[in-house]
Amino acid sequence: MLNVADAHVAFDGELAVQGAGFQLSEGQVLAILGPSGCGKSTLLRAIAGLEPLEQGRVSLNGRDLAGVPAHQRGFALMFQDGQLFAQRSVGDNVGYALKLQGLPRAERVARVTELLEVVGLPGYEERRPATLSGGEQQRVALARSLAAKPTLLLLDEPLSALDRSLRDRLATDLREILVRTKTTAIMVTHDHDEAFTMADRMGVMLAGQLVQVGDTRQVWREPVSKDVASFLGYTSFFRDAAAGRVAAIADVAWHGQTVGLRPSALAADQGGSLKGLVRRASPGAQQTRLVVHVEGMGEVDAIAAPAVEFTTGQEISLRLNLPA
């Protein structure tokens, strides 16, 4: 449905986005994941028509959108602060775009009621934004974005202003809402868990370049470079004999590439086949993080149950804890 090809965006002659390209099918959700300042929000704004392309093309269903202003593209944008109208009720906020479209009042009221049910806020029509929690305000912002049935929903760090526990819950809810409404969406975020929870497809953006795009689980498990792997949370990298040893333990084919492991890939286990000495143990509420020296591999990251205590120099066994 959406095709972005060789997109370049520049500010004062400096490229902020370089050669970005991807395709998105109807009903899919794409997360563009990257650190602050990598150009992901700039790319989103260019797709929306809010920033001009220096080079490249954005097309929708085969139609080049060059010269089509943002308000005529049929897209909706949702930002991290929601940008609700404080002086209007929840119902008026959600129905704002419908009123601009000239939809009769009865139809607007019905659509607003339907959307508030969808986002889990039935009966909130007369509430004011100031009386809502941060999570409730973002639900209202989502309902408002969906009201006009946009061809494409663009979400710019939609949950970053919320605390972690609320962010995790709302990410799951937003995913369910997007699937239920069959909404095609692109979101940009720096949060790995948020991207993994909400998206079918993932793009990783580093230093203005969209360096990998693919199925979310594929990107997560098969990063195309060490830079991508490091950004996605891989911390231990092995080459040559050490890499072959990891591959043998994992019972996977190895053809001379670098092997990378996340901190959670190795777990303390009395029945594990790797032996090592504890260099450092950092207890946490959910798990203990370990740094372990393994002969022939050097220092590796590992995890253990939070109730288990470790001492520096203690010999422990590790097992590979790869996802299914």
Side-chain angles (χ1 to χ4, degrees):
M1 185 190 84
L2 182 76
N3 185 25
V4 177
D6 194 33
H8 290 66
V9 183
F11 298 111
D12 298 324
E14 293 287 331
L15 283 174
V17 176
Q18 306 175 50
F22 63 87
Q23 294 180 333
L24 190 63
S25 298
E26 188 172 357
Q28 287 186 327
V29 178
L30 169 70
I32 298 177
L33 180 67
S36 297
C38 72
K40 57 187 184 295
S41 291
T42 299
L43 175 59
L44 194 77
R45 290 174 60 84
I47 293 169
L50 298 174
E51 299 291 349
L53 290 178
E54 287 283 314
Q55 179 181 319
R57 184 174 184 235
V58 175
S59 58
L60 182 70
N61 294 320
R63 178 196 178 197
D64 190 346
L65 296 181
V68 179
H71 67 279
Q72 292 181 4
R73 295 191 177 195
F75 300 168
L77 286 87
M78 178 178 165
F79 300 97
Q80 59 182 278
D81 58 1
Q83 297 189 353
L84 300 177
F85 301 122
Q87 74 280 11
R88 295 177 181 268
S89 67
V90 166
D92 286 344
N93 267 278
V94 175
Y96 181 73
L98 303 177
K99 187 174 182 180
L100 291 180
Q101 291 177 346
L103 203 67
R105 175 176 171 75
E107 293 183 36
R108 290 204 311 269
V109 170
R111 177 70 173 149
V112 168
T113 300
E114 174 193 357
L115 285 167
L116 289 177
E117 289 275 358
V118 166
V119 300
L121 298 175
Y124 274 55
E125 285 87 345
E126 300 305 319
R127 296 277 295 272
R128 295 283 174 173
T131 69
L132 307 180
S133 68
E136 288 172 337
Q137 290 182 22
Q138 286 302 82
R139 290 174 186 269
V140 173
L142 178 62
R144 185 177 65 180
S145 297
L146 295 174
K149 298 182 179 179
T151 305
L152 179 67
L153 176 62
L154 304 172
L155 305 107
D156 190 357
E157 301 271 9
L159 306 179
S160 62
L162 307 177
D163 62 63
R164 167 54 64 185
S165 60
L166 179 56
R167 190 186 311 171
D168 291 343
R169 292 198 305 273
L170 195 52
T172 300
D173 291 345
L174 290 184
R175 169 64 184 173
E176 292 176 355
I177 291 166
L178 294 175
V179 170
R180 191 188 323 164
T181 57
K182 300 179 181 179
T183 300
T184 308
I186 301 173
M187 62 173 291
V188 299
T189 180
H190 65 275
D191 188 285
H192 300 69
D193 293 335
E194 189 177 306
F196 193 80
T197 297
M198 292 183 62
D200 309 297
R201 292 174 59 75
M202 181 187 294
V204 177
M205 197 160 192
L206 301 174
Q209 296 183 320
L210 200 55
V211 292
Q212 184 173 0
V213 181
D215 173 81
T216 297
R217 292 184 181 275
Q218 179 188 22
V219 172
W220 209 257
R221 295 179 182 179
E222 301 174 19
V224 296
S225 68
K226 186 176 179 180
D227 287 341
V228 173
S230 296
F231 176 70
L232 291 177
Y234 289 76
T235 56
S236 301
F237 295 91
F238 308 96
R239 291 185 60 84
D240 304 324
R245 188 176 180 191
V246 174
I249 296 166
D251 192 24
V252 296
W254 178 65
H255 304 290
Q257 308 99 324
T258 298
V259 173
L261 296 177
R262 289 194 181 83
S264 60
L266 291 171
D269 188 323
Q270 291 182 352
S273 59
L274 281 180
K275 307 294 183 183
L277 300 178
V278 175
R279 290 285 188 251
R280 186 169 63 251
S282 304
Q286 303 297 324
Q287 60 189 12
T288 295
R289 292 196 173 275
L290 304 171
V291 176
V292 181
H293 178 82
V294 177
E295 189 68 30
M297 295 174 63
E299 291 191 348
V300 300
D301 292 305
I303 59 172
V308 182
E309 294 185 1
F310 298 89
T311 58
T312 302
Q314 176 183 346
E315 184 177 68
I316 64 171
S317 298
L318 302 173
R319 64 174 169 81
L320 210 55
N321 187 36
L322 294 179

